Amino acid sequence: MLAFFYYLGAAVVLPSNVLGLWPMPRNLQLGTTFLKLAPTFDIEINFNDAPGVPQDLLDAVSRTKGYLQTDKLQRLVICRGENDSAAIGRALELPRLAISLSLTTEPRSIAAEATLPIGTRSEGYSLSIPSDGSPATLTAKSTLGLFRGLTTFSQLWYDLAGVTYTYQAPVKIVNDNPAFPYRGLMLDTARNFFPVADIKRTLDAMSWVKVGMFTRALLVWLKCLSFENIMQINMFHWHVVDSQSFPLDIPGFPELAAKGAYSSNEIYSTADVKDIVSYAGAEIDTPGHTAAIADSHPEHVACNQASPWSKFANEPPAGQLRLASAATANFTAELISSIAKTLPSTLFSTGGDELNTNCYSQDAQTQADLSSSGHTLEQALSSFVQSTHKSLSDLGKTPVVWEEMVLEHDVALPKTAVVMVWISSQHAASVAAKEFRIVHAPSDYFYL
């Protein structure tokens, strides 16, 4: 058998104006003048009448200056910009970037701004970089906006032989702000454990594309613990627990991780959580995806390890919380409250996806609880969800649920709840028609 291979040659032309900006600002005006950072370049904070400068803004300024010195990003062109050397040598120098807030009240920290309710955060900024060697200016109405602007400023520069420069001055960006208030990424550490350093590295990467709130997902009935951080992709959804493992040490419930983690070396301690939250900014899935809880509390889990698993769960191992049990409902509410009260996030997911009804029809205790209460399974589910959501509302948190709670079940939810669409993009309109706010993350487009 003969095999013939044909190579079709094609000329690859790299555009000369490829930018390091991500995401692209809403409005961006660029020139064609070379400009380089002065050796003494500095970033100055001018707050005028506003008292005090939050420490995390000072830290952001310091990180920006360090990044400008060490990033060494070169242009995405042939020879990496070596042909620019003459123009760079003649270029004027930018002495400083002056940043200011357009308010006279005491500014909040970036972290405080980033944990305000979704839709109320001010992330806009304006940036001007003249080509004549006069100082650049960055203005915003919040420290979070300044943080976004600092990120954009950092992405405008390239390196050649140790000189940091741009070839597109003057630069003008007016009132750049995000198109969507929720911009997120989910990381599953229940099925595959990630060390804290790896999570931090992910958060750093998110910050460069303006993804910034942090959501922790405990997907075994703690499916999504939702943390908020100061990133630009502004939601990091930490899928921290599931039926496969429970690697989260929770105050008052140490037995869950002690018996449910892959190993004693693969547990997120309270100190780890505080470290990540301070670095950035939680969620618990119920009642499904909770088999790992059975290792420490078998009394709360129906059809634990039932076989064949395909009849009792969407994936192995089988096991989900006994939603008709008052004791289990109280246990769940206390667990969620214990986590939520330690975190700054205004959003907290209680999950609700992939509920297997056959599991409950085959569970003798669930059937006995339904019989004694006179409730149907759907009524018991609604009561269970209301119980867990009350523990959140008592703490001023907004509940987040998966789309099944709205489209497949008769559950009473407040209109303030946020619904995550994950199964199909075709379901987004159906959820929106019920007048819920949605996070659009359908698996047919966004799952890696």
Side-chain angles (χ1 to χ4, degrees):
M1 179 178 180
L2 296 177
F4 295 92
F5 297 89
Y6 295 92
Y7 175 75
L8 299 179
V12 178
V13 179
L14 293 175
S16 61
N17 61 344
V18 172
L19 301 177
L21 288 171
W22 185 269
M24 191 64 66
R26 283 173 174 263
N27 53 77
L28 174 65
Q29 298 177 33
L30 298 172
T32 58
T33 302
F34 280 78
L35 182 71
K36 58 191 175 187
L37 295 187
T40 57
F41 172 81
D42 199 7
I43 300 177
E44 298 179 351
I45 302 176
N46 301 319
F47 276 11
N48 297 324
D49 297 330
V53 178
Q55 183 60 49
D56 57 2
L57 178 59
L58 294 173
D59 294 339
V61 167
S62 178
R63 285 195 299 269
T64 300
K65 291 192 291 186
Y67 182 83
L68 290 169
Q69 294 172 356
T70 61
D71 179 50
K72 306 302 181 184
L73 174 68
Q74 294 184 310
R75 289 182 61 189
L76 188 62
V77 295
I78 301 299
C79 297
R80 291 294 189 179
E82 287 184 7
N83 295 333
D84 298 335
S85 58
I88 294 172
R90 296 189 300 266
L92 296 174
E93 295 182 346
L94 181 68
R96 63 184 179 276
L97 168 66
I99 67 176
S100 60
L101 280 177
S102 55
L103 57 86
T104 57
T105 57
E106 184 173 358
R108 286 186 286 240
S109 67
I110 299 173
E113 293 282 354
T115 53
L116 291 174
I118 287 287
T120 68
R121 300 167 191 167
S122 175
E123 300 185 62
Y125 66 92
S126 295
L127 175 65
S128 175
I129 305 176
S131 60
D132 61 3
S134 56
T137 59
L138 170 63
T139 61
K141 295 181 180 179
S142 72
T143 54
L144 181 58
L146 292 177
F147 179 77
R148 303 297 190 221
L150 285 169
T151 300
T152 297
F153 180 83
S154 301
Q155 295 173 345
L156 289 165
W157 304 91
Y158 302 92
D159 176 84
L160 184 65
V163 178
T164 304
Y165 74 99
T166 181
Y167 61 97
Q168 295 174 311
V171 178
K172 189 172 184 179
I173 300 172
V174 180
N175 194 30
D176 182 35
N177 55 80
F180 302 99
Y182 183 114
R183 307 172 305 281
L185 173 76
M186 186 177 81
L187 178 67
D188 186 337
T189 64
R191 297 175 176 92
N192 299 281
F193 184 86
F194 283 72
V196 172
D198 290 352
I199 295 176
K200 286 184 176 182
R201 187 174 64 248
T202 301
L203 295 174
D204 281 338
M206 290 170 62
S207 73
W208 286 103
V209 290
K210 298 183 172 67
V211 181
M213 190 167 65
F214 183 63
T215 301
R216 181 165 95 220
L218 288 75
L219 182 87
V220 356
W221 83 278
L222 272 177
K223 177 168 184 174
C224 291
L225 238 165
S226 171
F227 290 140
E228 293 169 279
N229 84 19
I230 57 177
M231 306 302 177
Q232 297 199 14
I233 288 181
N234 73 338
M235 174 65 76
F236 180 72
H237 186 131
W238 188 8
H239 190 96
V240 68
V241 303
D242 206 301
S243 285
Q244 287 72 24
S245 76
F246 201 109
L248 183 67
D249 186 17
I250 300 173
F253 298 86
E255 70 280 2
L256 292 173
K259 296 184 178 182
Y262 285 140
S263 74
S264 59
N265 294 323
E266 296 171 295
I267 294 175
Y268 300 108
S269 67
T270 300
D272 290 335
V273 172
K274 288 182 178 179
D275 186 22
I276 293 172
V277 171
S278 65
Y279 191 79
E283 170 187 11
I284 296 186
D285 194 359
T286 60
H289 290 275
T290 51
I293 291 177
D295 293 327
S296 57
H297 291 279
E299 71 277 13
H300 293 309
V301 179
C303 54
N304 179 40
Q305 305 292 329
S307 181
W309 65 263
S310 57
K311 292 186 177 181
F312 299 93
N314 278 51
E315 60 183 33
Q320 51 193 31
L321 292 172
R322 287 182 164 127
L323 56 82
S325 165
T328 301
N330 291 336
F331 170 82
T332 306
E334 290 174 6
L335 179 59
I336 289 177
S337 179
S338 179
I339 300 169
K341 68 176 56 174
T342 67
L343 303 169
S345 174
T346 57
L347 297 179
F348 195 106
S349 174
T350 58
D353 65 323
E354 299 181 331
L355 194 65
N356 187 290
T357 56
N358 182 59
C359 169
Y360 293 124
S361 67
Q362 300 297 316
D363 183 59
Q365 181 176 328
T366 297
Q367 291 304 306
D369 289 333
L370 291 174
S371 178
S372 63
S373 66
H375 291 162
T376 64
L377 184 62
E378 286 295 311
Q379 290 171 332
L381 173 61
S382 185
S383 296
F384 179 90
V385 171
Q386 290 182 57
S387 173
T388 57
H389 285 186
K390 183 179 184 304
S391 69
L392 294 176
S393 62
D394 289 346
L395 297 172
K397 310 289 185 181
T398 298
V400 182
V401 297
W402 296 108
E403 63 178 77
E404 291 96 319
M405 289 290 97
V406 172
L407 300 180
E408 297 182 11
H409 300 287
D410 186 19
V411 175
L413 295 173
K415 289 300 181 181
T416 55
V418 176
V419 180
M420 299 190 74
V421 175
W422 73 277
I423 296 175
S424 170
S425 56
Q426 297 181 5
H427 297 172
S430 299
V431 176
K434 294 179 179 290
E435 300 182 347
F436 286 102
R437 294 181 293 170
I438 70 170
V439 172
H440 197 212
S443 58
D444 53 344
Y445 280 94
F446 296 120
Y447 274 36
L448 300 179

